[in-house]
Amino acid sequence: MPETNFSPAIEERQGLLKDFVCLFKLNLGFVKGAPVLLALLAITLCGGLASEGFDRLSTAHFLDDTVIPVIGPLNSVTWFGVISLIGSGLGILASQLLIARMEKKRTVSRTSVVMSTSAGYILCLVLFAVGRSFWFMLLVFLLAGLMRTIKEPVLAAWMNDHVDEKMRATVFSTSGQLDSFGQIIGGPIVGLVAQQVSIPWGLVCTAFLLLPALFLVPVAGKKRD
């Protein structure tokens, strides 16, 4: 994959620590001057807070709070492989349909996509937490995963439009670190609730951690997207 029309910037190196401090100050100053980007990074943090609990507790919820049916070779182990396969297929299909609609018809805004998928993810998490029927839980689990699959690339594309190309790698690295930081913070909180109260309440707590994103999306959407 050749990289054409690229001229690397000539930078003076001042040492690892000084370069790190200068880059951090530059990145911080850039983000402060871009309120839309700041709101999008905050949404990314909320997504990290809300992802770890769902990823860790969903399997336990299936195993402990419902009866997984045995259908031929499908048992409690092979079911999770099938669920993962179905989820991946739905994600690919939904993403392609959304891309085609956004590129050709221009009738779908990124604000509405991120808002609707965030709200849908919260709703599916709560329904999944209170569910006890395997088929109902399977449906809302797949829908929750679909909401995340659709939201993340749209959010990344939205962020890309507000980043100078010289800062793009640094800002996207910061976005990934915020997502990881959110998982580090949110995971123990949700795990503690699940341990002390119940797994369903841990999942409900996960949904609550994403609620601030619903207020941040309109802030980011004030500019034309």
Side-chain angles (χ1 to χ4, degrees):
M1 297 178 64
E3 191 170 18
T4 57
N5 300 322
F6 171 72
S7 299
I10 300 175
E11 300 178 351
E12 294 183 2
R13 297 297 182 185
Q14 304 176 11
L16 180 61
L17 183 59
K18 288 185 178 180
D19 285 345
F20 175 79
V21 172
C22 290
L23 186 60
F24 177 78
K25 289 181 178 180
L26 182 64
N27 192 31
L28 183 62
F30 179 77
V31 172
K32 282 184 176 180
V36 175
L37 183 59
L38 188 61
L40 294 175
L41 289 173
I43 294 170
T44 300
L45 176 62
C46 292
L49 288 169
S51 65
E52 187 70 5
F54 179 64
D55 292 338
R56 299 292 170 254
L57 295 179
S58 56
T59 300
H61 187 40
F62 271 118
L63 294 174
D64 293 351
D65 299 319
T66 190
V67 177
I68 300 177
V70 177
I71 304 175
L74 295 178
N75 54 34
S76 59
V77 176
T78 53
W79 258 115
F80 290 107
V82 172
I83 291 171
S84 178
L85 184 62
I86 294 174
S88 298
L90 289 175
I92 293 172
L93 177 62
S95 297
Q96 292 303 312
L97 292 174
L98 180 63
I99 289 170
R101 185 175 179 83
M102 292 184 73
E103 288 184 347
K104 294 180 180 179
K105 297 186 177 181
R106 300 287 182 180
T107 57
V108 181
S109 71
R110 288 171 292 189
T111 305
S112 62
V113 172
V114 175
M115 173 64 84
S116 60
T117 52
S118 297
Y121 183 53
I122 292 172
L123 177 61
C124 288
L125 271 178
V126 174
L127 292 176
F128 178 67
V130 301
R132 291 298 180 270
S133 166
F134 171 78
W135 299 108
F136 175 78
M137 290 169 58
L138 175 60
L139 174 63
V140 292
F141 175 82
L142 291 172
L143 287 175
L146 190 60
M147 295 298 104
R148 287 172 60 180
T149 300
I150 294 173
K151 183 191 75 172
E152 291 173 1
V154 175
L155 186 62
W158 192 358
M159 191 180 302
N160 185 67
D161 281 352
H162 295 278
V163 180
D164 184 87
E165 64 179 25
K166 293 182 179 180
M167 297 293 298
R168 187 168 292 138
T170 303
V171 171
F172 274 97
S173 175
T174 302
S175 174
Q177 291 172 2
L178 283 173
D179 181 77
S180 299
F181 181 72
Q183 295 182 39
I184 292 171
I185 298 299
I189 295 174
V190 173
L192 184 63
V193 173
Q195 184 181 48
Q196 298 298 320
V197 185
S198 68
I199 292 174
W201 274 108
L203 289 165
V204 171
C205 178
T206 298
F208 286 149
L209 291 175
L210 189 60
L211 279 177
L214 300 184
F215 301 95
L216 291 166
V217 173
V219 174
K222 285 182 178 180
K223 283 196 174 185
R224 181 177 58 87
D225 64 358

